[in-house]
Amino acid sequence: MSTEQPADPATTELPAEAQKSPRRAMCAAILSLEAIMLGLSSAVMISLADVAPAVALSIGLGLCVLCFLVAGMLRAEWAYWAGTAIQVAAVALGFVVPIMFFLGGLFALLWGSAYYLGRKIERERGAAWAEWAAEQ
């Protein structure tokens, strides 16, 4: 007969794997890819839409840098709202360069999918890790 007491699930330390956020990883990947697209949109705004180079570079590279900054800050919940605002800005660039309606919409769809699927995975993984901790 074992004298070992079962561990309290609240005090059982979960492995580092259990603390990783799939939502954060997926959303950061989308923002990183979108940053490249937004950075390249500067050249398109200059050549096709005849936007002044200073304005086009400010908008395109500004959104590019903002994507990378927000991707790094996704540990905070407010950063997901900032990421959503970036999606709105990317779609709004369509008023300057019409193809951005499509590209911005595509990245907004990817962002929404990454966010909601990431939350679903987090919930399911949380339940599985809680069950694992209860067994320990």
Side-chain angles (χ1 to χ4, degrees):
M1 181 178 266
S2 173
T3 59
E4 189 177 305
Q5 294 290 328
D8 181 20
T11 61
T12 303
E13 188 169 321
L14 295 175
E17 166 90 13
Q19 298 170 3
K20 292 182 182 178
S21 171
R23 177 179 58 147
R24 186 174 77 211
M26 291 189 300
C27 287
I30 297 300
L31 285 174
S32 298
L33 291 171
E34 187 171 16
I36 296 167
M37 185 263 306
L38 289 170
L40 293 173
S41 72
S42 299
V44 175
M45 284 189 275
I46 293 169
S47 64
L48 293 181
D50 293 326
V51 176
V55 174
L57 289 171
S58 298
I59 293 171
L61 296 180
L63 286 172
C64 174
V65 169
L66 193 59
C67 280
F68 284 125
L69 289 174
V70 170
M73 295 181 195
L74 286 175
R75 290 187 177 171
E77 194 63 34
W78 63 265
Y80 291 97
W81 288 101
T84 302
I86 291 172
Q87 304 312 311
V88 171
V91 172
L93 275 177
F95 290 110
V96 179
V97 180
I99 192 69
M100 290 301 294
F101 282 126
F102 173 73
L103 290 174
L106 180 65
F107 274 99
L109 181 64
L110 289 171
W111 171 262
S113 298
Y115 181 83
Y116 288 110
L117 288 175
R119 290 213 35 151
K120 181 180 178 185
I121 293 169
E122 282 178 351
R123 281 192 306 272
E124 291 173 1
R125 284 180 60 180
W129 282 111
E131 183 179 320
W132 176 83
E135 292 175 359
Q136 298 303 315

